[in-house]
Amino acid sequence: MRLDELRRSLTPVPTVLPQMPRELLPVALGTDDSPTPRLPRFDEGGRKHAAVLMLFFEDSDGQARVVLTERAGGGHRHAGQISLPGGAVDPTDLSIEAAALREAAEEVGLDAEQAGVEVHGVLPVVDVAISGFLVHPVMAFAAREPDLTPDNYEVAS
């Protein structure tokens, strides 16, 4: 799909998300000590807000692309998962959009000015109950293909 087609299909910004396919829902696994999965419990006060950046840009063939990362392995939260750049909203972030752009700069070296990034809108919150996060997906379009440099501590590729 071309970037201009994608932008038109996402205007106005959707206010309701489709039901997530069952295959993409998080699954709690057991451990060597206990094969029975134990789901963490988070009270409402313990829930954290996170922002992720859905950054769309046009590749050299004119096709729309989105930035995804493979999280670094080891003891990191979400180790080895494929994800959008993002993370917890800090008290110093001026907005959800600012948090998503800050996290993308930290994780993949996004220079929003270099890429001509324009925030298009924020999708409805996604409740990731298994991790205790309320995720705010921020949609943005880049006028130019971003020059990205992943942070090796957080991102494998």
Side-chain angles (χ1 to χ4, degrees):
M1 174 181 282
R2 300 192 61 83
L3 192 64
D4 57 341
E5 295 172 64
L6 178 63
R7 186 187 295 261
R8 278 195 303 276
S9 73
L10 295 172
T11 303
V13 174
T15 57
V16 176
L17 296 177
Q19 184 71 27
M20 188 178 303
R22 191 173 60 80
E23 295 82 7
L24 294 179
L25 292 173
V27 176
L29 301 175
T31 64
D32 290 339
D33 297 334
S34 172
T36 305
R38 290 186 326 147
L39 296 176
R41 300 249 187 259
F42 301 97
D43 61 18
E44 286 306 310
R47 304 302 295 282
K48 293 186 178 179
H49 291 270
V52 296
L53 185 66
M54 300 171 65
L55 180 61
F56 300 105
F57 64 94
E58 190 172 78
D59 70 10
S60 59
D61 294 327
Q63 296 300 303
R65 300 288 180 220
V66 65
V67 175
L68 294 173
T69 67
E70 177 187 355
R71 310 293 277 175
H76 296 287
R77 179 177 287 186
H78 309 298
Q81 294 179 358
I82 305 302
S83 66
L84 295 162
V89 175
D90 288 344
T92 57
D93 290 322
L94 298 177
S95 65
I96 294 296
E97 296 89 339
L101 290 169
R102 175 187 54 74
E103 285 285 343
E106 290 174 7
E107 290 181 18
V108 296
L110 175 66
D111 180 337
E113 190 173 321
Q114 171 274 322
V117 173
E118 173 192 333
V119 172
H120 187 65
V122 181
L123 291 170
V125 172
V126 177
D127 185 353
V128 185
I130 198 163
S131 67
F133 279 98
L134 299 171
V135 178
H136 301 263
V138 175
M139 286 191 316
F141 290 90
R144 294 168 291 286
E145 186 169 344
D147 181 21
L148 303 176
T149 306
D151 176 295
N152 293 331
Y153 180 74
E154 293 192 53
V155 178
S157 66

